[in-house]
Structures are given as C-alpha cells and as structure tokens.
Amino acid sequence: MRSTKAASAVERLKERTGNDGYALVRNADETFQLLDRSGKTPETVGERLPLDEFVAFVKTLGPQVVRRQTKSDIAFEKQLIKKK
C-alpha cells in the first residue's frame, strides 16, 4: 500500500511533537490530509495533497530533529562543496 510512506511521516510527527491526536486521512481521489484530533472537534491541518507533497508538508511541521554529524561527515561535505 502506498500510504505507508504517509503513515510513517505522521508517526514521526507524533513522536516529534508528543501529540498523539494527529491522524492520516486518505481520500477517494488518492489525496492525503492531516487531522488534529487533540481538541473536542477534529481540525484539518493543511489541505488535500498528493502523496509526495503530503510527506514533504508533514516533515515541515513540529520541531525538527537535528542530525548528528561526525568529524568525517563534516570533512566529506566540505570536499563536496569544493568540487562544485
């Protein structure tokens, strides 16, 4: 099922924010929508989007996880920049 990519994105959002009220809605026209059910009434967050756009949208929500880098990673990225 193609929606596992979207479901995983919503699960990561729940972990980042600590809000278990987020829910994924898959519409009949193969678009996805995010609901916030933490209040009394569910609120839609964003609009209906295709799969890839939906995953990119969900990634922008909530606090971002800082990627840990080693000295080797930093040196490698500097070499890539020099080659351009």
Side-chain angles (χ1 to χ4, degrees):
M1 182 191 297
R2 290 179 41 91
S3 65
T4 55
K5 186 175 179 182
S8 296
V10 173
E11 288 300 317
R12 288 190 301 271
L13 175 64
K14 288 179 182 181
E15 289 175 12
R16 284 195 316 263
T17 60
N19 181 2
D20 289 334
Y22 286 116
L24 170 68
V25 176
R26 184 175 179 183
N27 300 307
D29 59 351
E30 296 298 321
T31 58
F32 297 88
Q33 198 168 11
L34 183 66
L35 288 179
D36 184 3
R37 299 182 305 179
S38 59
K40 290 184 179 182
T41 59
E43 297 179 25
T44 59
V45 180
E47 55 190 41
R48 292 179 172 197
L49 297 170
L51 177 65
D52 293 330
E53 292 177 24
F54 176 79
V55 171
F57 170 71
V58 171
K59 284 182 181 179
T60 62
L61 297 176
Q64 301 300 311
V65 177
V66 178
R67 196 178 103 204
R68 189 174 166 186
Q69 290 185 325
T70 63
K71 290 180 184 178
S72 300
D73 292 335
I74 295 169
F76 180 70
E77 286 182 7
K78 285 182 181 179
Q79 287 179 352
L80 289 177
I81 291 172
K82 287 180 184 177
K83 289 185 178 182
K84 290 182 183 180

